[in-house]
Amino acid sequence: MVRRVAIIGAGVGGLASVKCCLDEGLEPTCFERSEDIGGLWRYTDSMDGGRVSVYRSVITNTSKEMSCFSDFPCPEDFPCFLPHSRLLEYFRMYAQHFDLLQHIRFKTTALSVRKRPDFATSGQWEVVTETDGVQESHIFDAVMVCTGHYQEPYLPLASFPGIDTRFKGQYLHSREYKDEEAFRGKRVLVVGIGNTGGDLSVELSRVAAKVFLSTRGSTWVFSRVSDHGFPFDMVSTTRFNHFLDWLLPSALTKRIRFWKFNSWFNHMNYGLASTKSSNFKIIINEELPFCLLSGTVVLKPNVKEFTESSAVFEDGTTEENIDVVLFATGYIFSFPFLEESVRSLFDDSRSLYKRIFPPQLEKPTLAIIGLVQLTGSVMVGAEMQARWVTGIFAGWNKLPPASRMMADVLKKKPPVKRNPSERENLKMSFISYTDEIASCAGVKPSVLRLLLTDPRLALAIFFGPCTPYQYRLVGRGKWSGARDAILTQWQRTLKPLRTRVVDDSSDSSSGWQWMCLLALPVALTAGFLLSKYPQLGWSPWAG
């Protein structure tokens, strides 16, 4: 019987895990090595003992309505996309509202997590921690690891001959970057074009003499601001769009997606991507296209080698007088506190059942929370994981036999191991994954059932943004405010923009309502067929 739960890390996953433990009547103790909550999102000017934090100018890539905890909406006066300071403020509000801080032990480092000698029968763990130089041993019935995937910087120097032998300039990983001042007037080469590489290139272009951005593959760029000025994720991440992705051939959906990206600007003209690309990544950046257009950022192919002061690229070109090389090459995760026999059970999150549980353990009392990269907010995914896991610990949910879990892992794990910094390895569809875990936890809403009992809510759920409140409508943890939160989500989105009211007598909502009514017969027909003939495949209507 699980009662006492150790939680390692007080970032977003740790806070959600503490709260979910309390909801299930468990006794959580969270160990946080720093002096405050927030994890990655708590900005500090210094490295703070090697702790990874965001850079000064960072703003969330997912909107507040798509990123908040499922039973605690962001304040309506908060902007749609949050600077790190506002997001940390929201975390503090959440922790205070649910009285979480009393369960967190700050400035306490987890040194080791080891199975007890009788683990095969008890499932218990021995956790050794250190606070102010004093070590302490604890016994817990279960452990939730909430340290995320931004842990150790991935710095592949061997892939860039000469960088650490001939190059006389400075090189560093993006983890060390805080703001642009140290780069003023310098010629900077940024290696890697993920979200971080794009952000830093744009920021540095304002103060650096020149910025070069090196990338190996194709990259599609899109904006957080969608058509008509709405947040992109609220417009695109809907159950209706998810249904279309399932219904249409993958080649067609890919062409539609490329067409949509190119409708903003032609990526081939900018040297970013081609519609013929088979391997590509997608990043969010509103300013990068203009920086490329204005020449303040110059796109380059992969670096072949470095000389004393220059970078030689694979296309044969050379850029001279490079002062600084900034590697935005991502992170690798590690769990040094876990005993080797446990660490060896999984080399990445794909070796975990549902990206959470090591399936080979004799007892399912170890859960890895937040080690998944979604096409939407990882905060929502981490909370859903924590809800399911604590339900298992409390005895409400059950895991299948180890053989079935292993078969599921092998079925979903790609055969080719790719570069460890490529977080595409971990990326999954936000709705698919969250729905999958919600189904396991018994909290996935049934659109068909709601269509019969609450049509207005059903339409908002199916055609509107898939906000986390949807997972509080039914099952354990049901929240009485979920329905109202869904129906008022657009009001909270637009509220912070209403600082100057412009008179407009037109009814902006009528178009959306007509679209829903026109699409409803198609959706109902498809839903009926899929419900009646489940062998046809996935059904968005199932609860």
Side-chain angles (χ1 to χ4, degrees):
M1 177 66 182
V2 171
R3 178 59 58 185
R4 301 185 67 237
V5 181
I7 297 169
I8 302 175
V12 60
L15 292 176
S17 296
V18 172
K19 196 260 185 184
C20 291
C21 281
L22 295 174
D23 288 346
E24 295 293 354
L26 305 175
E27 299 172 8
T29 302
C30 180
F31 300 107
E32 168 56 44
R33 67 175 179 171
S34 72
E35 71 276 8
D36 204 352
I37 64 172
L40 172 77
W41 288 99
R42 185 171 65 84
Y43 170 80
T44 54
D45 289 317
S46 64
M47 293 294 292
D48 200 15
R51 186 182 71 87
V52 177
S53 78
V54 294
Y55 38 96
R56 188 191 302 275
S57 62
V58 78
I59 295 175
T60 58
N61 282 336
T62 52
S63 62
K64 67 177 183 179
E65 292 297 314
M66 301 294 290
S67 306
C68 63
F69 295 106
S70 57
D71 55 354
F72 193 74
C74 272
E76 63 176 11
D77 60 334
F78 273 35
C80 291
F81 294 94
L82 303 178
H84 59 78
S85 58
R86 299 306 294 272
L87 185 61
L88 184 59
E89 181 183 351
Y90 170 69
F91 290 162
R92 296 195 196 285
M93 295 167 61
Y94 179 77
Q96 181 179 7
H97 181 79
F98 293 108
D99 200 17
L100 306 182
L101 296 181
Q102 63 172 312
H103 302 280
I104 304 175
R105 293 182 56 175
F106 293 105
K107 296 184 178 180
T108 301
T109 302
L111 298 179
S112 69
V113 176
R114 306 183 65 86
K115 292 189 289 187
R116 294 268 288 166
D118 62 347
F119 180 83
T121 55
S122 70
Q124 290 184 326
W125 300 85
E126 180 183 7
V127 179
V128 177
T129 61
E130 183 177 80
T131 308
D132 297 327
V134 178
Q135 293 189 11
E136 187 178 357
S137 180
H138 320 260
I139 304 299
F140 287 98
D141 301 314
V143 176
M144 300 174 74
V145 178
C146 305
T147 52
H149 49 254
Y150 294 95
Q151 297 173 32
E152 299 293 331
Y154 177 63
L155 196 58
L157 299 183
S159 300
F160 300 94
I163 185 64
D164 55 350
T165 55
R166 297 191 297 270
F167 185 63
K168 302 300 183 182
Q170 178 189 8
Y171 68 86
L172 67 158
H173 189 271
S174 59
R175 183 182 77 160
E176 302 176 57
Y177 181 93
K178 294 300 177 181
D179 58 42
E180 71 274 20
E181 281 306 312
F183 302 85
R184 186 174 294 276
K186 297 184 177 181
R187 288 169 63 85
V188 183
L189 170 61
V190 178
V191 178
I193 194 176
N195 285 317
T196 299
D199 282 352
L200 300 191
S201 297
V202 168
E203 185 164 292
L204 290 171
S205 71
R206 303 186 184 108
V207 299
K210 197 73 173 179
V211 176
F212 303 96
L213 177 57
S214 170
T215 176
R216 291 185 304 174
S218 293
T219 304
W220 295 94
V221 184
F222 71 91
S223 170
R224 279 165 284 210
V225 184
S226 185
D227 298 339
H228 308 292
F230 294 113
F232 179 85
D233 56 352
M234 293 187 72
V235 173
S236 62
T237 311
T238 70
R239 294 186 179 279
F240 178 66
N241 287 341
H242 184 59
F243 175 62
L244 290 180
D245 284 342
W246 170 86
L247 186 65
L248 300 176
S250 58
L252 178 58
T253 58
K254 188 176 180 180
R255 288 178 65 88
I256 293 173
R257 190 174 292 115
F258 287 167
W259 172 82
K260 182 65 176 177
F261 290 149
N262 275 332
S263 67
W264 183 24
F265 68 95
N266 189 312
H267 284 62
M268 188 172 67
N269 289 343
Y270 285 65
L272 283 163
S274 164
T275 55
K276 298 179 181 179
S277 306
S278 56
N279 295 319
F280 58 88
K281 66 174 65 174
I282 299 172
I283 68 170
I284 300 171
N285 199 303
E286 294 79 22
E287 299 179 70
L288 182 59
F290 179 73
C291 287
L292 294 172
L293 198 61
S294 63
T296 55
V297 175
V298 176
L299 198 66
K300 302 293 293 185
N302 193 41
V303 177
K304 180 181 178 182
E305 63 176 339
F306 287 93
T307 65
E308 288 190 358
S309 62
S310 63
V312 181
F313 299 91
E314 290 183 345
D315 63 353
T317 60
T318 301
E319 294 297 341
E320 304 283 352
N321 302 318
I322 300 297
D323 298 303
V324 183
V325 179
L326 181 58
F327 285 96
T329 45
Y331 294 82
I332 54 177
F333 62 86
S334 62
F335 306 105
F337 46 82
L338 287 179
E339 64 175 283
E340 177 57 31
S341 65
V342 175
R343 270 205 319 269
S344 63
L345 296 178
F346 56 99
D347 53 0
D348 59 33
S349 72
R350 296 169 301 171
S351 302
L352 301 169
Y353 180 64
K354 306 297 185 186
R355 307 293 175 107
I356 302 171
F357 290 101
Q360 303 96 323
L361 280 179
E362 302 95 316
K363 295 287 184 179
T365 55
L366 174 67
I368 312 297
I369 302 297
L371 193 66
V372 59
Q373 186 70 16
L374 303 176
T375 55
S377 171
V378 72
M379 304 180 202
V380 178
E383 185 198 24
M384 182 56 66
Q385 289 178 331
R387 291 178 65 188
W388 181 44
V389 167
T390 52
I392 290 171
F393 290 166
W396 297 105
N397 300 320
K398 301 294 183 184
L399 287 175
S403 59
R404 283 179 54 192
M405 290 194 288
M406 279 300 302
D408 183 79
V409 168
L410 294 174
K411 178 181 177 182
K412 295 179 179 178
K413 189 172 182 178
V416 179
K417 188 172 182 179
R418 298 168 63 191
N419 189 310
S421 74
E422 295 179 2
R423 287 161 56 216
E424 298 294 330
N425 283 353
L426 310 178
K427 187 161 287 190
M428 302 177 71
S429 163
F430 172 78
I431 294 181
S432 292
Y433 181 77
T434 313
D435 271 0
E436 181 179 4
I437 304 302
S439 295
C440 295
V443 297
K444 180 188 172 186
S446 170
V447 178
L448 186 58
R449 187 176 296 114
L450 283 172
L451 196 59
L452 300 175
T453 59
D454 194 339
R456 182 187 177 196
L457 181 61
L459 290 174
I461 286 177
F462 190 67
F463 291 104
C466 186
T467 45
Y469 322 120
Q470 295 189 11
Y471 301 104
R472 290 286 180 176
L473 290 168
V474 296
R476 291 187 62 77
K478 179 180 178 180
W479 175 45
S480 60
R483 181 183 188 275
D484 182 66
I486 293 169
L487 297 179
T488 57
Q489 56 200 6
W490 285 110
Q491 296 176 27
R492 287 188 301 279
T493 300
L494 297 176
K495 173 68 174 179
L497 299 175
R498 304 298 193 192
T499 54
R500 178 177 179 268
V501 179
V502 179
D503 182 34
D504 184 2
S505 59
S506 64
D507 185 0
S508 59
S509 64
S510 60
W512 180 86
Q513 292 172 352
W514 275 109
M515 181 197 74
C516 291
L517 290 174
L518 291 172
L520 185 57
V522 177
L524 282 173
T525 302
F528 171 76
L529 290 173
L530 289 168
S531 299
K532 188 174 181 62
Y533 304 104
Q535 67 270 22
L536 292 176
W538 168 85
S539 171
W541 310 91

